Amino acid sequence: MTLKSFPHPANETWITLSIAGYLNITAFIHHSLESALMSPLMKKSVRNRLVTGLVGLTLAVGLTGCSNDDEETLGDTIDASDTESLEYVPASADGPAQNVPEPNLPAVATENSEEGAEATLEYFWETEEYARLTGDTEPLALVSSEDCEFCFESIQGWEHSYGEGEWVVLQGELQIEITEVQLGDDEERSQPVAHVFFELDEPGIDFYENDGILHQDSFDKPDIKKWVSLLYFDATGQRWEVEWLGLEESVTWVE
């Protein structure tokens, strides 16, 4: 399995998931403070939420913040980005990244298969990186379930931060390595479900205020952890959607 490079947010969350006919998951997810994004979003920036701490969230509560636009199609993301012909300028102390290429959703992601679920999760982290560098979260929302708390917080967080004129500078690349994909059927929801196991190697990150002042020189320690994600296949939209993400070590699997 090859490594791909993307960044990521995380949270500290009490989680209970029930999948009829498949399995139950009960977990206390403790994510690193270095990657937390899960504080109240409308009043605080991503940087402030990382500094002030973590909050408990309940995945069972349906959220509307990361809902997908019904008019958005896969073709919109598969088409080449207009910025591809422009020179990419990395983020620095002088300002945010410029001309960041928009990720393309691969055609295999439309398949109800292990390859489709794997490609979707990789695309998810590509769009998370894109959102982190630009504040544009539309590609991320495309593969995010309406019930994905993690997705909602990430989408709202980056939109708010860049709306306030803040930006981030990455101190390296986040690497994702998918180690296993398990497919099944959720009889209650009548949908295919996939569990994708993967590892993340997190880079450091610097936060800059809108006046160009480095607020916090943080997250300079490498952090490699094992994760698991839950995806459902939307037959109508012909794509997988990420519904949940968490640390593998904190999940209890019950047959």
Side-chain angles (χ1 to χ4, degrees):
M1 188 73 62
T2 58
L3 293 177
K4 289 199 172 184
S5 301
F6 329 105
H8 101 292
N11 69 335
E12 182 175 6
T13 308
W14 279 99
I15 295 175
T16 300
L17 293 178
S18 294
I19 305 173
Y22 190 48
L23 51 82
N24 293 323
I25 307 175
T26 302
F28 176 71
I29 303 304
H30 181 270
H31 295 169
S32 62
L33 178 61
E34 289 84 350
S35 57
L37 288 178
M38 301 308 171
S39 300
L41 294 163
M42 302 314 294
K43 296 181 180 180
K44 295 182 179 181
S45 68
V46 171
R47 182 261 306 157
N48 287 335
R49 291 193 303 280
L50 283 161
V51 172
T52 56
L54 308 174
V55 299
L57 299 169
T58 302
L59 192 65
V61 177
L63 297 175
T64 59
C66 59
S67 59
N68 300 323
D69 189 341
D70 292 339
E71 295 181 357
E72 188 172 11
T73 64
L74 297 181
D76 294 334
T77 60
I78 295 175
D79 290 341
S81 170
D82 292 338
T83 64
E84 288 183 352
S85 60
L86 302 177
E87 181 180 359
Y88 169 66
V89 180
S92 68
D94 296 327
Q98 300 178 38
N99 307 321
V100 182
E102 182 175 335
N104 296 325
L105 182 66
V108 68
T110 65
E111 299 178 1
N112 177 15
S113 64
E114 291 185 9
E115 293 77 13
E118 179 176 338
T120 298
L121 186 65
E122 290 176 342
Y123 174 77
F124 176 89
W125 289 109
E126 288 178 346
T127 59
E128 167 61 33
E129 178 183 43
Y130 179 72
R132 171 172 285 191
L133 293 174
T134 66
D136 180 1
T137 63
E138 289 186 9
L140 181 60
L142 179 64
V143 291
S144 298
S145 166
E146 294 180 354
D147 297 324
C148 178
E149 189 84 32
F150 185 108
C151 310
F152 171 78
E153 298 292 351
S154 182
I155 289 170
Q156 294 295 309
W158 293 121
E159 286 181 353
H160 181 75
S161 284
Y162 277 85
E164 293 293 315
E166 300 172 345
W167 73 92
V168 299
V169 175
L170 305 181
Q171 298 176 5
E173 296 180 335
L174 184 146
Q175 296 181 320
I176 175 174
E177 180 181 9
I178 295 177
T179 57
E180 185 178 1
V181 180
Q182 297 178 356
L183 295 183
D185 290 304
D186 185 337
E187 296 178 0
E188 183 176 328
R189 291 176 51 160
S190 300
Q191 280 184 278
V193 60
H195 289 85
V196 183
F197 297 81
F198 60 101
E199 293 183 355
L200 289 177
D201 185 355
E202 305 178 54
I205 181 173
D206 292 330
F207 288 90
Y208 284 86
E209 301 279 5
N210 55 13
D211 54 7
I213 296 177
L214 176 64
H215 176 80
Q216 176 146 341
D217 187 3
S218 59
F219 320 150
D220 56 354
K221 296 180 180 180
D223 190 9
I224 303 175
K225 292 184 178 180
K226 295 182 178 181
W227 288 60
V228 61
S229 59
L230 178 69
L231 291 78
Y232 280 96
F233 186 73
D234 179 4
T236 301
Q238 286 296 298
R239 61 177 176 264
W240 290 92
E241 293 181 339
V242 176
E243 179 132 344
W244 178 81
L245 294 158
L247 294 179
E248 182 181 348
E249 64 186 17
S250 301
V251 178
T252 300
W253 300 88
V254 181
E255 296 293 340

